Amino acid sequence: STKVSITLFPMSHSNYEDDKLLIEKAEEEASNERLIEAGRLLKEVKDDSLLEKKHLTMIRWADEIEKSINNILVSPDEDGNEWKKQGETHGDRDFLVYYKVNEHNQLSCRIDCAIESSLLVPLLSVFNESDLFKTWMPSYKRPVKLGIRGSKMLKESGRGNQTILVTVDMAWPMCTREVVLHAVSVDVIEEKASIAILAKSETSEDDPIIPEPLPSHVRIDFEQTILIRGCPEDHPCLVKSRNKYPENEELIMISIAMTVDAHVKFVPLTLINFVTRTVIGRMWSSTLKVAEDIRDGKRVMHQEAISKKKHLYGWIEERIQLMLDKLKER
């Protein structure tokens, strides 16, 4: 018989150093909120044993963010799309509202809105300052009870990377709902001339800092993507616009897509109509009004937060300016 000898060659020193360099570059990109590029670099690492849990998390988030961005770049008015236009608003602000409900009773909503560039940092502070949600978010008692009971920051790291717990009061017979959201801001200026924010619900299995829900509460699932980019001159939300935007500012398109699974066996039509026709539009109008008040010096607590967090909002202003410069080049 012939004896077969197999020799396993260990990874060469050169390949090892290349992999270590890729990981080092990926970590640097991630620290600068360029998560998609970090994920791309990590996928080039040949020796998987060098990848730690945090690197695998980076890859997963990078993939999910890229998928979410690509989805939101598809026009909701495109033929064959499942989105239904709920309505549009024109006046002081121009925005469109869409919705859909899938076979799993998950309600999805989408907003496309044009704003002037000076409103962007104040608007992002409205999203980011979760401890101040209750100071401005509207609540309802009729026809359906719905409103924020409270919000609590569980964890914050880097720029715009935070985990928050939000508690929502619901109408009887539905008990109180709560959601734990992990939000990540991502710089995709080089790739798509955009800035993105992805927020996803998480559990204690994702992060031990997350507490178990109270017995009387139901933990729901939620996902939201915010995409900030230049506003095309022919965008549908501008067709009927009566707004006179500042001539010395760039026009920005904010697209927000969100999906909620409230863990109910069915979504009552009255609730769908109430959320899509009333809550979404009014909440977005409130959000824009708060952003305007912050810009105009009328919201002291938000202004103080912006002043204290120069590492975040200074970075945002810098990236926005880079994004606007890219748009002018195009």
Side-chain angles (χ1 to χ4, degrees):
S1 62
T2 305
K3 186 176 181 181
V4 179
S5 175
I6 300 175
T7 304
L8 298 178
F9 294 97
M11 173 179 279
S12 70
H13 180 73
S14 175
N15 286 340
Y16 174 82
E17 291 300 324
D18 288 345
D19 279 355
K20 294 293 284 185
L21 186 59
L22 284 169
I23 292 172
E24 186 179 315
K25 286 182 178 178
E27 290 178 349
E28 183 180 354
E29 294 287 2
S31 70
N32 289 315
E33 321 312 328
R34 288 186 37 78
L35 202 52
I36 290 180
E37 177 61 13
R40 186 191 68 78
L41 290 168
L42 290 171
K43 287 177 182 178
E44 292 183 12
V45 173
K46 293 181 174 61
D47 184 359
D48 291 345
S49 68
L50 296 176
L51 298 178
E52 301 172 21
K53 182 180 179 180
K54 65 178 181 180
H55 300 131
L56 300 178
T57 300
M58 285 180 197
I59 292 172
R60 176 171 59 84
W61 272 84
D63 288 344
E64 291 181 4
I65 290 165
E66 190 161 26
K67 180 182 177 181
S68 297
I69 291 173
N70 291 336
N71 286 340
I72 215 169
L73 287 173
V74 176
S75 170
D77 296 316
E78 193 172 283
D79 289 343
N81 212 308
E82 296 178 349
W83 290 107
K84 298 176 183 178
K85 184 189 284 187
Q86 180 60 64
E88 52 187 290
T89 298
H90 302 286
D92 293 338
R93 293 291 164 192
D94 298 300
F95 62 89
L96 310 175
V97 178
Y98 302 83
Y99 80 98
K100 59 184 176 181
V101 180
N102 67 15
E103 67 275 16
H104 303 296
N105 291 318
Q106 295 173 333
L107 174 64
S108 297
C109 298
R110 171 173 174 151
I111 298 170
D112 285 344
C113 178
I115 64 168
E116 63 274 22
S117 55
S118 64
L119 198 63
L120 197 45
V121 169
L123 182 58
L124 291 177
S125 76
V126 178
F127 292 131
N128 188 67
E129 299 306 321
S130 54
D131 290 343
L132 299 177
F133 282 173
K134 200 174 179 181
T135 66
W136 64 269
M137 276 194 177
S139 60
Y140 304 89
K141 293 184 179 179
R142 296 178 181 176
V144 177
K145 183 181 179 182
L146 186 67
I148 296 287
R149 179 186 294 183
S151 57
K152 179 183 179 182
M153 176 80 72
L154 299 178
K155 184 178 180 180
E156 187 171 24
S157 61
R159 306 180 190 93
N161 189 328
Q162 57 178 278
T163 303
I164 62 172
L165 170 63
V166 180
T167 307
V168 181
D169 287 323
M170 301 286 289
W172 184 90
M174 291 185 285
C175 59
T176 300
R177 260 54 180 174
E178 62 178 38
V179 59
V180 175
L181 287 176
H182 182 183
V184 176
S185 302
V186 186
D187 175 350
V188 282
I189 295 172
E190 292 297 329
E191 296 88 347
K192 299 182 184 291
S194 306
I195 296 171
I197 302 168
L198 177 63
K200 286 175 63 70
S201 51
E202 288 191 341
T203 68
S204 55
E205 292 182 4
D206 299 299
D207 191 331
I209 201 170
I210 297 172
E212 292 297 325
L214 296 174
S216 58
H217 293 186
V218 173
R219 184 75 53 84
I220 69 173
D221 296 318
F222 182 90
E223 182 171 328
Q224 176 176 269
T225 304
I226 302 173
L227 190 65
I228 302 160
R229 63 196 192 280
C231 182
E233 293 180 358
D234 60 349
H235 193 279
C237 82
L238 296 178
V239 173
K240 299 178 183 178
S241 176
R242 301 190 301 272
N243 197 356
K244 292 184 178 179
Y245 293 96
E247 294 182 1
N248 61 336
E249 294 190 44
E250 293 291 327
L251 206 56
I252 301 295
M253 171 54 54
I254 302 280
S255 293
I256 302 174
M258 65 194 88
T259 299
V260 181
D261 183 349
H263 290 194
V264 294
K265 292 181 179 179
F266 73 99
V267 182
L269 185 60
T270 52
L271 182 58
I272 292 174
N273 289 337
F274 179 58
V275 170
T276 57
R277 294 177 184 174
T278 304
V279 176
I280 296 298
R282 286 187 184 176
M283 187 169 287
W284 183 241
S285 294
S286 296
T287 303
L288 293 171
K289 182 64 172 66
V290 172
E292 290 171 357
D293 287 347
I294 295 168
R295 181 184 61 186
D296 299 339
K298 299 176 183 177
R299 289 268 177 174
V300 176
M301 287 189 289
H302 280 88
Q303 287 179 307
E304 288 177 350
I306 292 172
S307 297
K308 288 177 182 176
K309 299 179 181 178
K310 287 295 184 185
H311 67 288
L312 169 60
Y313 294 107
W315 175 83
I316 288 173
E317 288 179 342
E318 177 190 318
R319 304 318 291 172
I320 288 170
Q321 189 55 55
L322 178 60
M323 184 183 78
L324 295 176
D325 290 343
K326 288 279 184 185
L327 293 173
K328 290 175 183 177
E329 289 175 10
R330 295 185 177 188

